[in-house]
Amino acid sequence: MPTPTRDTSPSAPDRRDFLRQSGYLAIGFSLLGLESCSGEAGATGSDGTPKQATACPPDTDRIDAWLRVHEDTTVTVLTGKIAIGQGILVALRQIAAEELDLPLDKVKIIMADTGHTPNERYTAGSASIEGSGTAIRRAAATARQQLLERAADELGAAVVDLTVTDGVIGATARGERTYGELVAGKQLTAQVFRDAPRKDPYDYRIVGQPEPRPEILGMVTGRPVDDRDGYVQDMRPPGMVHARVVRPPVYRATLQSFPADGVEALPGVRQIVRDGNFLAVVATDEYAAIRAWQMLRRQSNWEVDQSLPDPANLFNDMPGRVTNSEVVTSAPNAHSDWESATARLEALYTRPYQMHGSIGPSCALAEYRDGQLTVWTHSQGVYPLRDSLAAMLDLSADNIRVIGVRGSGCYGHNGADDVAADAARLALAEPDRPVRVQWMREDEHGWEPYGSAMRLQLRAALDGDNRIVSWVTNLWTDVHSHRPGGDAAELLTAQYLEGGPEAPTEGYLGGGYRNSQPLYRIPNLHIEAHRIEGPLRVSALRSLGAYGNIFAIESFLDELADRAGEDPVAFRLKHLDDERARAVIEEVRQQVEWPVYDAEDGRGWGFAFARYKNEAAYFAVAAEVAYDAETESLRVLRLVGAIDAGQTINPDGLRNQTEGGMIQSASWTTLEEVKWNTNGIVSLDWETYPILRFPEVPEVSVSILDRPGAPPLGAGEAAQGPTAAAIANAVFRATGTRVRDLPITAAKVVG
Amino acid sequence: MSQPIRLRVNGQTHQAELEPEMPLLYFLRNDLALNGPKYGCGVRQCGACMVLLDGKAQPSCVIPVDQAQQHDIETLESFGTPDDPHPLQRAFVEEQAAQCGYCLNGAIVCAQALLAVNPAPSDTEIREALERVLCRCGTHSRIVRAVARAARTQNAD
Ligand code: FES
Ligand code: FES
């Protein structure tokens, strides 16, 4: 087999040395003294010593599932969640350090790894602090209690007479013990006690502080500070080979032929892997893989089994394509109130398909050795992925280990799981070598599962006092989650394998009506969600249907306020009882000195509010936009937000992800729409799917309303919907045009 | 057909047998195991792969190694290390100007090229200098603040 010569001259450092020194993320945990849990209890490790087998996944009722106390009085926290760029790891460390009375730098963390961490399903829905955070806090509080009891025993003192400072438990005149001495190498395996005494939130010293994220230093220097802090894209284990997958022109197509001889003759190509309609190439180096991929793409023949429908009819066709409907909330009087109302309003809003658009295309590594498959992935759910891979490859889940590694930001279910499945399938074809697959840009744009298009029909009636008396929403949408969840069918790879599963599973409609119920006081509220099977591949995109629903509700609220001749903020407050909701609105109102009607020509402010999922963080926002009639350009100038996420764990992290959500939503709202035609997806790069660039990004600011003692609330998605509506409302104030179809482009303002 | 190529990267000369049309990005990442430049699009639309070519920020995904031979190439790694970060790198840490961080290579490399010719840029000038860099996490305002901070500290020195 031809391989390119790539040996550098003697004057240059040896290539393999480079790999050994700088590029390889260690995958073992010897440094942390952690044994790996695996399916094979009683097996021996490579050095002949028996493996300490712990159950896999660990029993989450036990302390040691969540944290390990080491002899040097450091602690390792284990979380089933993965870092997705929102600073979750430092926040979870803060929670553990706080409850254990340890300095933050003594608390390390390991994220999602089916060889170590608890099974927490997915890192999604802004639920990490509520879920993992709560579990870790309980485990830490129980551990502290246990350590206190041991110390009391050893020191001959009563627990109440003990003090804890930085992991040292002391009793006056009786000496002291460190956590390390107390555990003496043995783990705390007791049951987590739900009601273990926990700190008074008013005494917090670490939680609530804007602790910096240590991994940022590694990001800005290109040198991960910790061996688990690098990107999966940057892993280069010895012996690694590169692969690329050739996707068909449309979702449903059959592979007729491909240029096997030509591709195999290319330098560096190891093999072409063809399995049904799955076509890939493995090469010794990345550029060789890419060249082979290009040739395969150009010269393979596919028979299109089903072309895509004409995009022009997408929204009009929806009511005729309903597969099932769900009444989300029903009000028998909603219809009669409609007839007798003083004022009535009806409006139709739409949201197109939009993409996650990670800057780094999805990437994974997989290695199949001695019957064991190891996969390195930035998937949001390592356990469900493991089970899905087991189903796809007909392997036992016990023989698969899935390790979470940082990736490019994902904002939901992007190509992460699919590329991991690509790598896993190819690892079987290339045993004993790590196989690295990174999707090409057009793969990511064209094959990631998009956020679903939605059609939202709202109507409401006002009484004589301009109060909303009834409200009816009908919404049409595809589902908003097709996560693998343990099945093979949702993995793109599996759908193309010989004898692979055909249709994806049902999916999750619930995400489609997320936040479809306004938080406002409305006596008769009736909401129906209609599922359609849309033409494009879809799954969870940050906030799921909440983005479309809140855009519609909060645009409509402004339209109702206008009809009533009332100020939109006052109109909202008039319908809101929840004090915390009112507080974030008041905060933004003060920040921007609302009402700001008298802006110059073409400029205007808009307002919006929502409580994410009606049970997570509260968020209000005002947007200022400028429309320039001469150049026909529209810009979002400023976004001013306020968030209440309960007790704040890390205010800087909360602010960072909220600012990020606002800017991202401004991009979705003013620019983004997946384009396609009958021959396939057209939005295959950043020119055909533009997103906001630096010069157009609005100024953002966020105030945090901290609630010490209140449960922390998920916040990572709170900004998506309100920001969209605030922009729509601002555009209306600035131009008099009400744009109800996202994205809100300058062309729609003119037209 | 591969041919001998000489590249000067971060002050060191490397010689290798390479396909002349191979984009520089792959040599830096795979042959030199550098993590700064990243693959994002391969078609000069996102800036993830930025390097300094004779001090100017250029996307390494579209520069063949053959052409890169005539230039002095610097990557993020040449700026500073975790123990001794460059003022720009320090400013990004101080502003916590990262979410996923995938775009930061492009942002820092473009900022360095800017500060070399304009030591006291306005926010608008910073934004324009970063136009070729895409950030999907919405970290833009922090990134602009970090660049402004680095400019201030550099000028104070
Ligand atoms: S990877 Fe070079 S500009 Fe995107
Ligand atoms: S921080 Fe994630 S792309 Fe910029």
Side-chain angles (χ1 to χ4, degrees):
Chain A
M1 180 171 330
T3 44
T5 42
R6 202 52 95 64
D7 286 333
T8 47
S9 67
S11 72
D14 180 72
R15 178 180 190 223
R16 279 166 298 271
D17 270 350
F18 261 113
L19 296 184
R20 270 198 295 276
Q21 284 159 12
S22 51
Y24 181 43
L25 283 169
I27 53 173
F29 290 90
S30 48
L31 293 176
L32 295 165
L34 297 186
E35 77 286 1
S36 165
C37 62
S38 82
E40 358 135 65
T44 49
S46 50
D47 57 355
T49 54
K51 275 190 189 166
Q52 237 183 310
T54 46
C56 205
D59 175 356
T60 50
D61 287 338
R62 286 173 28 163
I63 296 172
D64 60 343
W66 299 101
L67 60 92
R68 312 285 171 87
V69 181
H70 308 295
E71 282 185 82
D72 60 356
T73 311
T74 60
V75 163
T76 301
V77 172
L78 300 128
T79 175
K81 306 291 179 178
I82 184 171
I84 54 174
Q86 304 198 328
I88 176 75
L89 298 185
V90 71
L92 295 176
R93 284 171 56 226
Q94 283 176 271
I95 290 172
E98 183 70 66
E99 221 53 63
L100 283 162
D101 271 317
L102 276 171
L104 188 61
D105 61 7
K106 298 253 165 147
V107 179
K108 303 249 174 307
I109 192 161
I110 286 185
M111 65 185 183
D113 177 346
T114 66
H116 288 287
T117 65
N119 182 358
E120 296 195 76
R121 301 284 297 172
Y122 287 104
T123 306
S126 303
S128 296
I129 294 291
E130 289 171 67
S132 208
T134 304
I136 288 166
R137 180 173 49 67
R138 283 194 186 127
T142 311
R144 186 178 193 272
Q145 191 61 21
Q146 290 245 312
L147 291 161
L148 280 169
E149 281 164 18
R150 280 192 200 183
D153 242 27
E154 291 189 17
L155 298 169
V159 167
V160 287
D161 295 330
L162 299 175
T163 57
V164 187
T165 318
D166 292 350
V168 182
I169 303 180
T172 324
R174 290 186 187 268
E176 52 185 40
R177 292 283 189 280
T178 65
Y179 286 175
E181 288 164 350
L182 291 165
V183 294
K186 291 216 192 62
Q187 281 316 319
L188 299 171
T189 55
Q191 291 268 314
V192 172
F193 180 39
R194 287 179 69 91
D195 300 315
R198 56 170 294 206
K199 259 197 195 164
D200 183 337
Y202 288 94
D203 294 338
Y204 282 170
R205 291 171 308 125
I206 301 170
V207 165
Q209 297 305 311
E211 293 292 347
R213 290 164 54 199
E215 66 271 18
I216 293 180
L217 183 58
M219 292 172 174
V220 299
T221 54
R223 293 175 178 87
V225 181
D226 190 294
D227 65 4
R228 290 269 294 183
D229 264 348
Y231 297 93
V232 68
Q233 283 90 351
D234 293 340
M235 288 181 69
R236 299 179 197 91
M240 178 174 82
V241 292
H242 293 265
R244 290 292 182 275
V245 179
V246 182
R247 305 281 176 206
V250 288
Y251 295 127
R252 287 172 192 274
T254 306
L255 181 58
Q256 303 295 318
S257 69
F258 58 94
D261 293 346
V263 169
E264 274 162 3
L266 290 175
V269 169
R270 292 174 60 88
Q271 61 167 317
I272 296 172
V273 177
R274 189 241 170 117
D275 181 350
N277 290 313
F278 177 81
L279 180 64
V281 57
V282 187
T284 49
D285 73 299
E286 191 170 17
Y287 183 56
I290 292 170
R291 285 210 308 181
W293 173 83
Q294 283 163 341
M295 183 185 259
L296 282 171
R297 258 173 53 116
R298 271 197 305 268
Q299 298 180 22
S300 298
N301 290 312
W302 297 83
E303 188 178 295
V304 172
D305 300 325
Q306 194 186 320
S307 49
L308 293 176
D310 183 348
N313 305 326
L314 175 71
F315 296 109
N316 289 339
D317 281 357
M318 281 188 173
R321 299 184 65 170
V322 174
T323 58
N324 61 294
S325 297
E326 241 177 82
V327 176
V328 180
T329 185
S330 97
N333 295 332
H335 300 282
S336 49
D337 281 3
W338 174 256
E339 301 304 330
S340 61
T342 331
R344 293 178 285 205
L345 205 61
E346 194 161 359
L348 179 68
Y349 303 87
T350 62
R351 173 247 169 123
Y353 288 98
Q354 289 166 327
M355 63 175 77
H356 301 77
S358 298
I359 299 302
S362 296
C363 181
L365 272 70
E367 181 172 31
Y368 187 63
R369 194 185 282 274
D370 302 330
Q372 289 281 327
L373 178 70
T374 310
V375 178
W376 293 267
T377 172
H378 54 98
S379 162
Q380 291 181 297
V382 289
Y383 278 99
L385 175 59
R386 179 190 67 168
D387 296 346
S388 297
L389 292 176
M392 179 181 94
L393 300 170
D394 209 7
L395 289 173
S396 157
D398 287 344
N399 294 333
I400 304 178
R401 178 171 169 197
V402 179
I403 301 174
V405 189
R406 198 181 290 287
S408 183
C410 63
Y411 330 106
H413 176 203
N414 67 350
D417 295 275
D418 301 315
V419 77
D422 287 343
R425 172 63 188 82
L426 294 168
L428 296 194
E430 282 278 355
D432 302 328
R433 281 179 182 280
V435 178
R436 177 186 187 271
V437 185
Q438 181 165 24
W439 278 8
M440 302 301 285
R441 172 47 56 200
E442 45 270 71
D443 295 334
E444 191 75 29
H445 265 60
W447 288 89
E448 66 146 276
Y450 307 122
S452 180
M454 299 171 80
R455 172 191 163 101
L456 305 129
Q457 194 169 49
L458 273 55
R459 57 185 229 201
L462 302 176
D463 68 10
D465 295 330
N466 284 326
R467 286 177 197 279
I468 306 170
V469 281
S470 82
W471 178 301
V472 179
T473 297
N474 276 282
L475 67 97
W476 291 264
T477 181
D478 202 337
V479 296
H480 286 260
S481 179
H482 272 299
R483 293 186 184 275
D487 291 328
E490 301 289 10
L491 294 172
L492 189 63
T493 320
Q495 292 161 20
Y496 295 86
L497 297 180
E498 186 70 52
E502 255 234 353
T505 53
E506 268 286 279
Y508 168 55
L509 178 58
Y513 52 80
R514 179 172 288 179
N515 274 100
S516 61
Q517 293 171 263
L519 206 64
Y520 303 102
R521 195 184 331 102
I522 298 168
N524 287 299
L525 182 63
H526 187 89
I527 294 171
E528 284 184 40
H530 311 284
R531 189 208 164 159
I532 56 122
E533 265 177 48
L536 305 190
R537 182 173 191 238
V538 290
S539 192
L541 172 63
R542 196 175 190 178
S543 86
L544 313 191
Y547 171 70
N549 284 316
I550 295 170
F551 163 69
I553 291 172
E554 288 293 300
S555 296
F556 198 49
L557 246 287
D558 260 43
E559 297 200 50
L560 287 168
D562 266 4
R563 167 61 64 93
E566 294 185 12
D567 171 74
V569 175
F571 187 73
R572 284 174 171 82
L573 288 171
K574 162 171 146 179
H575 289 91
L576 267 179
D577 299 319
D578 186 324
E579 282 310 319
R580 291 169 70 177
R582 299 177 65 94
V584 288
I585 291 176
E586 287 293 356
E587 173 67 25
V588 174
R589 161 140 85 171
Q590 279 169 23
Q591 293 273 334
V592 303
E593 294 173 23
W594 188 274
V596 266
Y597 288 123
D598 49 349
E600 30 178 303
D601 233 18
R603 284 165 83 135
W605 282 86
F607 199 95
F609 156 81
R611 181 178 193 192
Y612 186 51
K613 297 186 195 173
N614 287 346
E615 58 179 33
Y618 297 85
F619 182 73
V621 60
E624 187 188 19
V625 304
Y627 175 71
D628 184 338
E630 225 156 88
T631 57
E632 290 185 5
S633 66
L634 178 67
R635 267 195 69 182
V636 183
L637 302 173
R638 206 135 77 91
L639 295 170
V640 178
I643 190 158
D644 167 356
Q647 171 126 39
T648 308
I649 309 296
N650 185 328
D652 192 56
L654 176 61
R655 181 167 286 123
N656 197 0
Q657 58 173 277
T658 307
E659 290 169 358
M662 291 157 77
I663 292 175
Q664 187 177 64
S665 177
S667 181
W668 292 357
T669 302
T670 55
L671 290 173
E672 298 184 31
E673 172 175 24
V674 175
K675 299 248 166 65
W676 79 90
N677 62 29
T678 52
N679 298 324
I681 302 293
V682 172
S683 294
L684 292 175
D685 62 21
W686 295 118
E687 261 160 34
T688 44
Y689 189 87
I691 64 174
L692 273 188
R693 286 183 182 269
F694 270 90
E696 297 96 45
V697 164
E699 299 283 346
V700 290
S701 64
V702 176
S703 351
I704 295 174
L705 278 69
D706 191 17
R707 302 277 178 192
L713 301 173
E717 297 155 291
Q720 308 309 111
T723 303
I727 292 170
N729 294 337
V731 168
F732 178 72
R733 307 257 157 238
T735 66
T737 308
R738 170 62 61 182
V739 181
R740 300 190 184 89
D741 300 303
L742 293 169
I744 304 171
T745 57
K748 287 180 190 165
V749 175
V750 186
Chain B
M1 262 299 137
S2 42
Q3 63 185 53
I5 302 277
R6 261 176 95 88
L7 291 163
R8 196 161 164 76
V9 182
N10 298 337
Q12 271 194 319
T13 303
H14 302 270
Q15 254 175 10
E17 291 284 323
L18 300 171
E19 309 281 331
E21 74 282 2
M22 180 173 84
L24 176 62
L25 175 68
Y26 299 111
F27 177 76
L28 299 174
R29 289 186 52 79
N30 298 328
D31 293 56
L32 301 188
L34 296 170
N35 293 331
K38 295 202 168 8
Y39 171 76
C41 69
V43 286
R44 76 166 95 220
Q45 292 175 356
C46 77
C49 62
M50 285 288 176
V51 297
L52 290 177
L53 232 62
D54 302 327
K56 289 215 174 66
Q58 300 287 359
S60 66
C61 68
V62 291
I63 299 166
V65 284
D66 187 20
Q67 265 179 41
Q69 294 191 98
Q70 295 104 39
H71 305 279
D72 217 9
I73 302 153
E74 285 171 89
T75 72
L76 185 70
E77 280 82 353
S78 74
F79 292 26
T81 62
D83 292 329
D84 183 20
H86 180 276
L88 264 168
Q89 292 165 325
R90 199 173 308 132
F92 272 70
V93 171
E94 279 159 0
E95 292 290 343
Q96 290 284 293
Q99 290 183 62
C100 80
Y102 203 89
C103 65
L104 295 186
N105 171 72
I108 295 173
V109 168
C110 286
Q112 170 65 7
L114 167 72
L115 296 186
V117 295
N118 181 356
S122 66
D123 276 11
T124 309
E125 288 169 327
I126 295 172
R127 285 161 169 262
E128 274 160 15
L130 298 180
E131 168 145 40
R132 288 179 297 168
V133 177
L134 288 177
C135 172
R136 187 53 161 166
C137 295
T139 318
H140 306 73
S141 45
R142 284 178 180 231
I143 291 174
V144 172
R145 276 210 300 278
V147 177
R149 175 192 276 258
R152 280 198 310 274
T153 42
Q154 272 183 333
N155 296 337
D157 287 348

